[in-house]
Amino acid sequence: MPFCRPAGLLLSLLSVTVACSTAPPELPGLDTEAFRADRRGCAGYRDANRLIVKSLAPRLLGLQERQITALLGRPDAAELGDRGQRVYLYSLTPGPACGSASRALEPTLLRVRFNAVDKVSEALVME
């Protein structure tokens, strides 16, 4: 029976890998690839879909940090909070970083707060 052990070990590792790799959820009505490409909201995709993002924000609750990054891309800004919490900020409207004087001084932001175990505990649009 020496052949059963390696096969059993391989099967166990495969099942753990499959169980731990969860695909990010669908966000209907939002082109996540276009959202990721519109860094800081300068191209206007995020602004045009601001209401969709606002309606989908509750669906982000409970997701892991890597799932958020896969869906929305790297944050435009990040903040560190108390007790291991982090906050990701995504600009939904063009702000001063877009390089035009006509941009809003304070852009509308999607604020995603992660708790100490890397799960979303808050997702809201700050206008």
Side-chain angles (χ1 to χ4, degrees):
M1 296 244 193
F3 295 107
C4 293
R5 278 199 136 163
L9 181 61
L10 182 60
L11 184 59
S12 297
L13 288 174
L14 182 61
S15 63
V16 167
T17 302
V18 170
C20 291
S21 62
T22 55
E26 294 290 321
L27 296 177
L30 185 68
D31 181 355
T32 55
E33 188 174 323
F35 187 95
R36 286 190 304 269
D38 188 9
R39 296 285 297 154
R40 296 189 174 118
C42 295
Y45 176 81
R46 293 179 182 183
D47 192 20
N49 292 283
R50 186 172 14 154
L51 295 178
I52 293 172
V53 172
K54 190 172 186 175
S55 71
L56 292 174
R59 295 181 122 206
L60 302 178
L61 295 175
L63 296 181
Q64 296 177 342
E65 179 185 8
R66 62 182 166 76
Q67 291 175 304
I68 294 296
T69 305
L71 284 170
L72 305 177
R74 291 182 333 184
D76 298 324
E79 299 173 354
L80 293 176
D82 295 338
R83 299 183 195 136
Q85 295 184 5
R86 280 182 321 289
V87 176
Y88 281 2
L89 301 170
Y90 296 91
S91 297
L92 298 180
T93 54
C98 293
S100 174
S102 64
R103 306 296 183 176
L105 291 178
E106 293 188 28
T108 300
L109 300 170
L110 170 62
R111 178 185 171 108
V112 181
R113 179 184 301 273
F114 297 95
N115 60 23
V117 292
D118 287 336
K119 293 204 175 195
V120 177
S121 60
E122 175 187 73
L124 56 95
V125 173
M126 300 169 42
E127 300 187 73

